[in-house]
């Protein structure tokens, strides 16, 4: 299907802004934050009715359950998570956080929240062993880790050797001693 004569159907307003920066018609921002400069901008465009309200995030698990968030919802939820990270966990711009989660909605929220708050996110895969986790925590000097029930025991087995680790968040329906429950907090 072609869009001859309808170039605007192929380019969003955000892309048009990028093009004007590239051509030198706008200044390059001194600081760029994807969460506020792109996601929030799309949310504003969506609210103003200048863009159809397509999901910003659409996740489906193996059982067919799904989570859909608009740009406004993704922005709101990511700000809540950023508040958890900065206020409850005490993280500041430049602090490091290790996130070892399967690709569940919380993984995406933490990613966007870290962008918002200027926190350095260090992703890890669910197949990491306790030794792998220890290495990553020590090498990165991360002050926080977020994981689920599966890897929490591995983290607990090495946490005493991680002098910088102050906060452990668990994505779980239940609780675990020594851990803050991520879902309850946000």
């Amino acid at each position: 299907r072609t869009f001859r004569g309808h170039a605007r159907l192929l380019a969003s307003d955000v892309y048009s802004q990028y093009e004007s920066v590239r051509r030198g018609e706008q200044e390059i921002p001194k600081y760029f934050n994807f969460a506020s400069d792109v996601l929030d901008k799309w949310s504003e465009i969506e609210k103003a009715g200048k863009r159809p309200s397509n999901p910003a995030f659409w996740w489906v698990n193996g059982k067919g359950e799904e989570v859909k968030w608009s740009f406004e919802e993704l922005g709101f939820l990511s700000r809540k998570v950023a508040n958890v990270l900065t206020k409850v966990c005490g993280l500041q711009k430049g602090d490091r956080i290790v996130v070892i989660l399967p690709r569940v909605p919380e993984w995406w929220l933490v990613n966007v929240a870290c962008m918002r708050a200027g926190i350095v996110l260090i992703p890890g895969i669910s197949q990491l062993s306790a030794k792998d986790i220890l290495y990553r925590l020590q090498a990165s000097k991360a002050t926080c880790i977020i994981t689920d029930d599966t890897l929490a025991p591995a983290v607990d087995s090495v946490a005493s050797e991680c002098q910088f680790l102050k906060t452990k968040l668990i994505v779980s329906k239940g609780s675990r001693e020594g851990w803050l429950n991520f879902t309850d907090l946000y």
Side-chain angles (χ1 to χ4, degrees), residues 151-170:
L151 284 175
V155 173
D156 283 338
S157 72
V158 299
S160 64
E161 299 176 56
C162 303
Q163 70 184 62
F164 297 99
L165 184 63
K166 295 180 178 112
T167 309
K168 299 182 291 184
L169 288 168
I170 191 163

Side-chain angles (χ1 to χ4, degrees), residues 94-156:
D95 283 348
R96 297 170 196 101
I97 183 171
V98 173
V99 180
I100 309 171
L101 289 171
R103 298 309 174 251
V104 293
E106 292 83 359
W107 187 87
W108 298 97
L109 284 178
V110 171
N111 272 265
V112 176
C114 285
M115 288 178 212
R116 269 189 201 289
I119 297 167
V120 179
L121 184 133
I122 303 160
I125 59 171
S126 302
Q127 292 87 358
L128 294 176
S129 68
K131 182 179 173 183
D132 298 327
I133 294 168
L134 173 63
Y135 172 77
R136 282 162 175 76
L137 287 170
Q138 288 178 336
S140 69
K141 299 178 182 172
T143 56
C144 182
I145 188 166
I146 300 177
T147 193
D148 59 11
D149 292 322
T150 309
L151 284 175
V155 173
D156 283 338

Side-chain angles (χ1 to χ4, degrees), residues 2-67:
T2 61
F3 292 98
R4 289 191 187 129
H6 300 285
R8 288 193 49 81
L9 293 175
L10 296 174
S12 72
D13 290 340
V14 175
Y15 178 76
S16 300
Q17 285 181 331
Y18 165 76
E19 280 300 308
S20 63
V21 168
R22 193 178 65 76
R23 289 189 306 266
E25 296 167 3
Q26 284 187 30
E27 281 189 44
I28 297 173
K30 186 173 181 180
Y31 299 101
F32 175 78
N33 184 306
F34 181 80
S36 57
D37 295 332
V38 176
L39 293 179
D40 290 351
K41 180 74 172 178
W42 285 350
S43 177
E44 290 171 20
I45 293 168
E46 192 176 86
K47 276 187 206 176
K50 297 178 183 176
R51 158 182 221 294
S53 97
N54 293 326
F57 179 83
W58 191 349
W59 176 85
V60 182
N61 70 9
K63 298 174 186 172
E65 300 165 338
E66 61 184 40
V67 173

